[in-house]
Amino acid sequence: MHELGIVVEVVKQVEELAKHNNVDKVIELTIEVGEVSGVIKEYFEDAFKWFIKKSEYMKECKLVYVPIQGISYCEDCKNTYPTTKYGKECPKCHSPHTYLVSGQEVLIKDIKVQNKEN
Amino acid sequence: MEDIKTIIVNRSAYANNDLEADLLRDYLFDHRTFLINVMSSPGAGKTTTLIKLINALKDTFKIGVMEADIDSDVDAINVAKETGVKSIQLHTSGMCHLDAGMTKTGLDEIGANDLDLVFLENVGNLVCPAEFDTGATMDMVILSIPEGDDKPLKYPLIFQKCDLVLINKIDTKQYFDFDFDKCNEMIHYRNPNATVINISALTGENINLVKDYLVKRIREWR
């Protein structure tokens, strides 16, 4: 459900960029989404498809959704491991002193824009 | 002929909101208004807890309440009737959480400049409100006994980012197999700095402990 809130924020930021760069339209948007960010790809894509209809520059924008693996770091044995498989506890030394290094982000990576030639 | 180019952005989707939230915290500090973001699942007892807390605190601080819901204004009417403090309803228009921008609009509407303490009752949900920083000075989560002791495990983010956890409805503990030690352990596993207080908003048990915690915290902050 909160995918919509994130889509609104993403579209707002891209629209501002498009305006600032004086482009005619944005034809592609690449976002990187962490697998422990709480975002569900299908919901995000649906909300995106619906919401860009209301946009000025992104009506025909294609969405490229790149999932990013959740990786945790163990402060005790200095190893990294996949977060979704093992959770908070380090699978090597069983320490709980671990923290997430990637996988929580929702990042606007880049946009492809199009300008009519004058 | 058409000209296509790529613009590298590398910007978090939350960047705008995080910036607005930080600005809001500065604004609140300048006006000495302490804002508490109250989060829980639907039915955990946010409104009842707030009514009890506000009645305990209203002689010490000038208080306001912002009730956020997807629709309806039953909470705002109830709180105003039961406490006599200023209360407004914020509608999120279908959105499952409040962001910093909506919070600022609410603060302007309620006239937060003249208030010492504002409670923001967020939308009942353990997932979405945790993702968006409202700009609040403090985050509080209410978990109730019937929901079960495993919620900190299932919804880690909200327990990870909060300052205070209230375990509510302890008057019903004999009917449920809620394990207090296990729940405490799981909260502190995620968030070693969280304070946990067991309460019953219905009977008023331990509301005084929450009051003392908040008074101390607000005085230190000011």
Side-chain angles (χ1 to χ4, degrees), chain A residues 61-103:
Chain A
C61 184
K62 186 184 156 211
L63 177 69
V64 180
Y65 185 107
V66 183
I68 301 293
Q69 194 188 21
I71 301 283
S72 289
Y73 176 76
C74 174
E75 288 174 307
D76 289 332
C77 75
K78 320 284 180 209
N79 277 303
T80 57
Y81 64 90
T83 312
T84 47
K85 192 165 175 197
Y86 300 105
K88 180 94 170 94
E89 193 179 289
C90 173
K92 291 206 175 72
C93 72
H94 302 289
S95 162
H97 303 124
T98 61
Y99 60 85
L100 197 68
V101 285
S102 75

Side-chain angles (χ1 to χ4, degrees), chain A residues 16-92:
Chain A
E16 275 167 19
L17 270 169
K19 195 172 173 186
H20 183 78
N21 285 285
N22 216 7
V23 308
D24 284 322
K25 57 184 172 181
V26 181
I27 54 169
E28 194 177 288
L29 159 67
T30 303
I31 56 159
E32 288 185 349
V33 185
E35 62 178 352
V36 288
S37 66
V39 173
I40 296 168
K41 183 171 181 253
E42 289 71 23
Y43 293 172
F44 191 95
E45 288 170 341
D46 281 352
F48 184 80
K49 252 185 243 161
W50 172 78
F51 194 70
I52 55 171
K53 287 182 202 153
K54 300 166 186 281
S55 73
E56 190 180 341
Y57 301 96
M58 299 173 69
K59 285 190 174 67
E60 297 151 48
C61 184
K62 186 184 156 211
L63 177 69
V64 180
Y65 185 107
V66 183
I68 301 293
Q69 194 188 21
I71 301 283
S72 289
Y73 176 76
C74 174
E75 288 174 307
D76 289 332
C77 75
K78 320 284 180 209
N79 277 303
T80 57
Y81 64 90
T83 312
T84 47
K85 192 165 175 197
Y86 300 105
K88 180 94 170 94
E89 193 179 289
C90 173
K92 291 206 175 72

Side-chain angles (χ1 to χ4, degrees), chain B:
Chain B
M1 274 290 285
E2 282 177 333
D3 163 31
I4 292 174
K5 64 172 181 176
T6 301
I7 301 174
I8 307 294
V9 187
N10 272 332
R11 201 177 137 90
S12 165
Y14 302 113
N16 275 351
N17 187 60
D18 288 349
L19 179 68
E20 276 180 57
D22 285 339
L23 290 173
L24 184 55
R25 257 186 296 275
D26 289 345
Y27 168 88
L28 289 165
F29 189 73
D30 290 342
H31 291 86
R32 295 292 183 273
T33 306
F34 196 90
L35 175 65
I36 304 179
N37 176 25
V38 184
M39 298 173 285
S40 84
S41 350
K46 283 188 297 299
T47 309
T48 314
T49 306
L50 283 186
I51 289 169
K52 284 278 158 65
L53 265 180
I54 290 164
N55 281 331
L57 287 162
K58 69 183 177 191
D59 293 335
T60 317
F61 302 112
K62 218 170 154 197
I63 303 177
V65 190
M66 304 194 291
E67 297 286 340
D69 262 309
I70 290 174
D71 211 333
S72 100
D73 53 5
V74 286
D75 284 346
I77 292 168
N78 247 336
V79 171
K81 198 174 83 190
E82 301 289 335
T83 64
V85 305
K86 199 166 177 185
S87 149
I88 61 165
Q89 185 79 41
L90 303 174
H91 284 158
T92 60
S93 323
M95 221 72 106
C96 52
H97 62 272
L98 277 176
D99 61 22
M102 292 188 248
T103 306
K104 179 71 171 65
T105 310
L107 287 168
D108 291 341
E109 194 189 324
I110 201 171
N113 292 356
D114 303 325
L115 300 170
D116 307 317
L117 171 61
V118 177
F119 287 99
L120 168 64
E121 186 177 332
N122 216 314
V123 180
N125 179 331
L126 288 179
V127 184
C128 314
E131 311 249 351
F132 285 83
D133 189 345
T134 56
T137 331
M138 192 191 124
D139 290 303
M140 174 167 121
V141 174
I142 304 175
L143 171 68
S144 66
I145 302 282
E147 292 170 68
D149 51 37
D150 58 353
K151 291 298 162 288
L153 201 64
K154 290 188 173 170
Y155 304 93
L157 187 60
I158 203 159
F159 290 93
Q160 207 169 301
K161 60 164 278 185
C162 71
D163 304 275
L164 176 65
V165 181
L166 302 182
I167 300 182
N168 190 21
K169 307 191 185 178
I170 54 169
D171 51 301
T172 68
K173 67 182 172 198
Q174 65 193 95
Y175 305 108
F176 297 94
D177 58 352
F178 191 94
D179 187 332
F180 285 89
D181 290 339
K182 201 169 119 197
C183 187
N184 257 280
E185 196 187 309
M186 277 189 286
I187 293 167
H188 290 120
Y189 184 54
R190 294 284 168 199
N191 180 355
N193 302 320
T195 301
V196 180
I197 305 176
N198 302 336
I199 63 159
S200 165
L202 189 72
T203 66
E205 193 178 346
N206 291 346
I207 290 291
N208 60 328
L209 297 182
V210 186
K211 176 193 168 185
D212 295 345
Y213 172 93
L214 292 179
V215 169
K216 183 164 174 273
R217 181 101 200 225
I218 295 165
R219 294 225 162 111
E220 279 169 4
W221 176 79
R222 289 165 81 101

